[in-house]
Amino acid sequence: MKNNYSFDERNRIVEENLYRIDAVIRRNHGLMRAAHLDYDDVYQQLAIRLIRCVEGFDPEKGKLDQHIYAQLQYELLNCKDSRSRYGFTGAPRDLRGAVVSLDGCHELAAA
């Protein structure tokens, strides 16, 4: 059973838990440096995940704080995925340093 949070209540819960984003980022600072992830990009992705996490939380399945940490950690790992970083939905997971020319994009769009 999903929660029945109102829009205002959901926003209040999200605002109260924004500090958890920084906690997850701090705990994974080495991973972010190794993957060359930008703090602002990761923060934005985790904030979106936090909103979805609160919206989809089922109180019968556990505690909200545990659910939030698990979801934020999972999202951080997805941020280092090349498909997320480069926007290539069909790209292999280990794609690194991908460069695509604008001419190549225009050719694909015209085809």
Side-chain angles (χ1 to χ4, degrees), residues 3-103:
N3 65 65
N4 292 321
Y5 297 137
S6 69
F7 183 76
D8 291 333
E9 188 175 7
R10 182 209 65 187
N11 288 347
R12 180 189 56 77
I13 293 169
V14 167
E15 287 176 10
E16 288 173 358
N17 288 281
L18 284 174
Y19 75 93
R20 296 179 193 272
I21 293 174
D22 282 319
V24 169
I25 289 174
R26 266 193 317 275
R27 201 172 9 176
N28 293 281
H29 179 71
L31 171 71
M32 288 184 57
R33 279 190 41 198
H36 305 288
L37 297 175
D38 180 67
Y39 172 86
D40 291 333
D41 292 341
V42 171
Y43 191 95
Q44 180 179 356
Q45 286 300 113
L46 295 182
I48 292 168
R49 184 64 170 241
L50 175 60
I51 293 167
R52 290 181 180 156
C53 172
V54 171
E55 284 178 344
F57 175 65
D58 183 356
E60 294 179 4
K61 293 188 177 180
K63 296 181 179 180
L64 179 61
D65 61 335
Q66 292 172 339
H67 181 64
I68 289 172
Y69 272 121
Q71 292 293 309
L72 293 178
Q73 183 68 36
Y74 181 76
E75 187 64 29
L76 181 78
L77 294 175
N78 283 338
C79 287
K80 74 176 191 66
D81 185 359
S82 59
R83 292 179 283 186
S84 297
R85 291 181 66 199
Y86 301 115
F88 300 146
T89 56
R93 284 195 176 274
D94 60 349
L95 178 68
R96 293 178 190 243
V99 177
V100 176
S101 72
L102 292 177
D103 293 333

